Amino acid sequence: QAGEPFANLPEGCQQVWPARGKTILISTGKALFTYDLETTESRELFDWLGVNISSGSIRSVGMTVDEGIAVVCSQSGENPFATKYEFALLSKVEKSQVPEKEVITLATIAAPYDDLKRAVVEFNKASSQYRVEIKSYLEDQGDWTKLLDAKNRFQADLVSGNGPDLIYLEHLDWTNLVGKGILEELTPYLQKTGGVEK
């Protein structure tokens, strides 16, 4: 027999794991939360991309005895029948211990696909100078009726000078952006670096 439904669950719950006592861990497509089953209070621990993990690759999450977070991820390579697994052990550190990187903002209208998140994670792991952060303009990812509002917020940022460094063009009229001089021609960069055909 089912009991009463729990209140105050984090928006977009996707996966749930036991933690300690009456506490569970809840993953959304964006972040990891603790949820107290007695008080029904949730607390965000961190953003998945902030710790270089693509939420689509997560297979299991657990809490260690010292309240660290252990994560098992799967990484499919070139061979779809040979999945590789990765284990990440996360713990709190002082902000001063984290190397500072220049932030590059990548705008998406809707929530980014797993492939895009994986590409961002791989770049962030490899770069010692830059860190890509994704900004999604569709606040309620399940409500496609708000797509026009998301596009308007994106355009308002462009007009006000708060636009992103990179734009994922899905759901946008890229020819209009080119006509307004918002997108930059990449050919000179490709010619300078070499190794990439136009």
Side-chain angles (χ1 to χ4, degrees):
Q1 180 178 352
E4 290 296 314
F6 285 92
N8 307 318
L9 289 167
E11 181 99 14
C13 296
Q14 292 181 349
Q15 297 166 303
V16 177
W17 299 275
R20 290 231 174 88
K22 298 278 187 178
T23 304
I24 58 174
L25 295 169
I26 298 178
S27 177
T28 67
K30 189 172 184 321
L32 182 69
F33 294 79
T34 57
Y35 181 83
D36 190 308
L37 296 169
E38 288 184 335
T39 65
T40 70
E41 290 178 3
S42 64
R43 179 173 60 96
E44 183 175 331
L45 296 177
F46 51 77
D47 180 287
W48 284 117
L49 289 177
V51 294
N52 291 331
I53 294 176
S54 170
S55 60
S57 69
I58 296 167
R59 295 297 163 257
S60 185
V61 176
M63 187 175 279
T64 63
V65 290
D66 58 353
E67 300 206 357
I69 301 293
V71 185
V72 176
C73 301
S74 65
Q75 306 294 338
S76 55
E78 293 175 12
N79 181 352
F81 301 105
T83 303
K84 295 179 183 175
Y85 290 91
E86 184 177 73
F87 179 76
L89 187 56
L90 309 171
S91 58
K92 284 185 184 179
V93 295
E94 293 294 324
K95 192 171 183 179
S96 59
Q97 292 180 277
V98 180
E100 285 198 35
K101 295 181 180 182
E102 186 176 338
V103 174
I104 298 170
T105 304
L106 168 61
T108 65
I109 297 300
Y113 293 114
D114 286 337
D115 287 346
L116 182 60
K117 289 191 279 189
R118 275 193 293 273
V120 166
V121 164
E122 290 308 311
F123 177 85
N124 287 344
K125 285 180 179 178
S127 176
S128 59
Q129 187 176 359
Y130 300 102
R131 171 170 192 78
V132 174
E133 292 184 357
I134 299 176
K135 178 177 182 178
S136 256
Y137 282 85
L138 187 62
E139 291 167 353
D140 183 354
Q141 297 298 333
D143 189 354
W144 288 97
T145 62
K146 303 257 173 74
L147 189 60
L148 182 58
D149 293 339
K151 291 179 183 181
N152 289 338
R153 276 193 296 279
F154 167 74
Q155 289 173 353
D157 273 0
L158 291 179
V159 170
S160 68
N162 294 321
D165 302 298
L166 303 169
I167 304 168
Y168 188 67
L169 294 171
E170 186 178 50
H171 303 295
L172 292 170
D173 180 356
W174 65 270
T175 54
N176 184 30
L177 296 175
V178 168
K180 292 182 177 178
I182 291 168
L183 300 180
E184 187 167 3
E185 171 62 57
L186 297 179
T187 302
Y189 298 100
L190 298 176
Q191 290 170 341
K192 189 194 289 189
T193 58
V196 180
E197 295 293 327
K198 183 178 178 183

